[in-house]
Amino acid sequence: MKNRDYKDITKKNVDIKNSNQKKRRLEEVLLEFSRITNDNIASILPRSEYEEAESYYNYIYKNINNSDFNITDVTILASNPNLNKIIGDNYETNAKFGLFLSALINKNIKNEVEVQLNIQIPIHYLFYKLENAKAHVNIAGDYLGDRAKNSKIYAEEAGDNAGENIEGCELHVNIAGDYLGENSKSSKIYANKSKDNIGCYMNGCELHVNIAGDYLGNGAKNSEIYANQAGDYAGEDIEGCELHVKKADYILGRKAENSKIYADEAEYVAGSSMKDSELYIYKLKGGLAESCLTGNNKVYLGKESYEEFPKYRG
């Protein structure tokens, strides 16, 4: 037998051995997931019940047998093409699975180790309570990075509530659902496109988005918000904020307090019920809300808008 042939056979044997090991490890992890999820003592996780998610995660984290598991096992499991068959389209099972993966990651991740997941279907609650780490995922379900601290999280696409309750983090999402960054603190959030309520109730944050839906920054405090395009009610109820938007739809800055709002272009009823705030609009379409011209507000219009609406001169 030629030496080359011997090497080829040896390589095939090694590949088969590695494949068998991966399969065995995958089965072990899935058995652990099955053991925990089928435990009658475990909390039930109803859809969108935040406190139940916390309770279930704590149960998993405490009871998981992770002595032989590692981050590599997590990446193998997440990339399994048969994952859809394992968790199906049931929201509760999907969420439990995401919390299970998060617990495995958080128990095994070491300093300077980056987690990179390439998954087949969106999984909810990925990177839940991630701390002092860096993580990547191609697609994610709802609640990506919920309650993460001092971490950097990247996703090409995410469902609703990505980055909820994060603290001291950087979150990068190309395409996001509703409520991106809700209740986040001292964090930086970047998105190309999001649906409604991005950055709502955040505090001390910096938000950058290309295209946002309605209610951009709703209820935010002490934050800086930058957007190229926003839907209706951008900057509603903001307090102590700066909002910079190139194009905003109807009712910009309603009920804003002690804030500065800058817009290249805004639709009608801008500045409704503002208080102690400054509003800068270059091109105004349809007029201001009369309420913003009273009280301790300051309104500045571009030259063309100033000439188009003589009633605002004075």
Side-chain angles (χ1 to χ4, degrees):
M1 180 181 295
K2 295 181 180 180
N3 187 47
R4 187 188 63 183
D5 295 336
Y6 175 77
K7 289 182 178 179
D8 289 342
I9 292 173
T10 301
K11 183 178 183 303
K12 289 181 181 178
N13 289 336
V14 171
D15 290 341
I16 292 172
K17 182 179 179 181
N18 289 339
S19 177
N20 289 336
Q21 287 177 343
K22 288 182 179 180
K23 183 178 180 181
R24 185 171 64 254
R25 299 294 292 160
L26 176 59
E27 291 174 349
E28 290 174 358
V29 178
L30 290 177
L31 282 173
E32 184 66 9
F33 173 64
S34 179
R35 180 186 71 81
I36 291 177
T37 54
N38 290 324
D39 190 338
N40 292 329
I41 301 175
S43 303
I44 297 174
L45 178 62
R47 182 169 182 170
S48 72
E49 287 289 339
Y50 182 79
E51 291 77 9
E52 292 295 341
E54 170 74 359
S55 176
Y56 192 81
Y57 171 84
N58 289 338
Y59 178 85
I60 292 175
Y61 192 88
K62 180 180 179 180
N63 290 279
I64 198 169
N65 177 16
N66 72 313
S67 58
D68 294 324
F69 301 146
N70 55 44
I71 297 299
T72 301
D73 296 323
V74 176
T75 59
I76 292 172
L77 178 59
S79 63
N80 179 17
N82 295 317
L83 202 59
N84 190 41
K85 295 179 181 178
I86 298 169
I87 62 178
D89 57 0
N90 182 277
Y91 191 98
E92 180 181 327
T93 304
N94 185 309
K96 288 180 178 180
F97 189 77
L99 291 168
F100 173 76
L101 286 182
S102 296
L104 276 177
I105 291 171
N106 294 340
K107 275 207 166 187
N108 289 281
I109 196 166
K110 296 177 175 59
N111 290 336
E112 299 182 358
V113 173
E114 291 187 24
V115 181
Q116 298 199 26
L117 302 183
N118 185 21
I119 62 179
Q120 306 298 315
I121 60 172
I123 298 175
H124 309 312
Y125 288 100
L126 282 176
F127 308 138
Y128 184 79
K129 280 196 166 184
L130 187 73
E131 288 195 32
N132 304 309
K134 191 174 183 179
H136 304 253
V137 64
N138 56 333
I139 55 174
D142 299 341
Y143 298 99
L144 170 70
D146 188 8
R147 287 200 175 190
K149 291 184 178 181
N150 305 317
S151 296
K152 294 183 178 180
I153 299 173
Y154 301 81
E156 180 63 26
E157 187 172 348
D160 297 338
N161 300 89
E164 182 171 322
N165 296 291
I166 59 175
E167 186 172 348
C169 291
E170 269 192 31
L171 176 63
H172 300 255
V173 180
N174 185 25
I175 301 175
D178 295 324
Y179 297 99
L180 175 67
E182 182 180 17
N183 290 318
S184 55
K185 296 179 181 178
S186 306
S187 296
K188 294 183 178 180
I189 301 169
Y190 303 86
N192 178 36
K193 187 176 182 180
S194 73
K195 293 185 179 178
D196 299 337
N197 285 287
I198 177 174
C200 64
Y201 306 112
M202 63 184 183
N203 195 335
C205 293
E206 189 175 313
L207 171 63
H208 299 261
V209 57
N210 182 23
I211 301 174
D214 298 339
Y215 296 99
L216 167 67
N218 181 28
K221 293 184 178 181
N222 308 312
S223 298
E224 295 180 16
I225 304 169
Y226 302 86
N228 283 329
Q229 184 175 330
D232 299 339
Y233 302 101
E236 177 164 284
D237 281 318
I238 60 175
E239 183 178 343
C241 293
E242 275 196 20
L243 170 61
H244 301 256
V245 57
K246 289 187 177 180
K247 185 180 184 301
D249 288 340
Y250 306 128
I251 319 181
L252 170 69
R254 186 170 72 168
K255 296 182 180 180
E257 185 173 344
N258 192 30
S259 296
K260 294 181 178 180
I261 300 173
Y262 304 84
D264 288 355
E265 183 178 330
E267 297 285 350
Y268 66 78
V269 201
S272 175
S273 302
M274 284 195 328
K275 182 178 180 182
D276 300 321
S277 295
E278 298 178 15
L279 179 62
Y280 300 79
I281 299 176
Y282 181 75
K283 186 176 181 181
L284 179 63
K285 300 174 68 177
L288 297 167
E290 292 184 5
S291 55
C292 78
L293 301 174
T294 61
N296 197 28
N297 296 314
K298 296 180 180 179
V299 178
Y300 303 87
L301 301 180
K303 182 179 179 180
E304 292 182 6
S305 298
Y306 186 78
E307 292 175 350
E308 184 179 352
F309 298 98
K311 63 183 178 180
Y312 300 143
R313 302 174 187 175

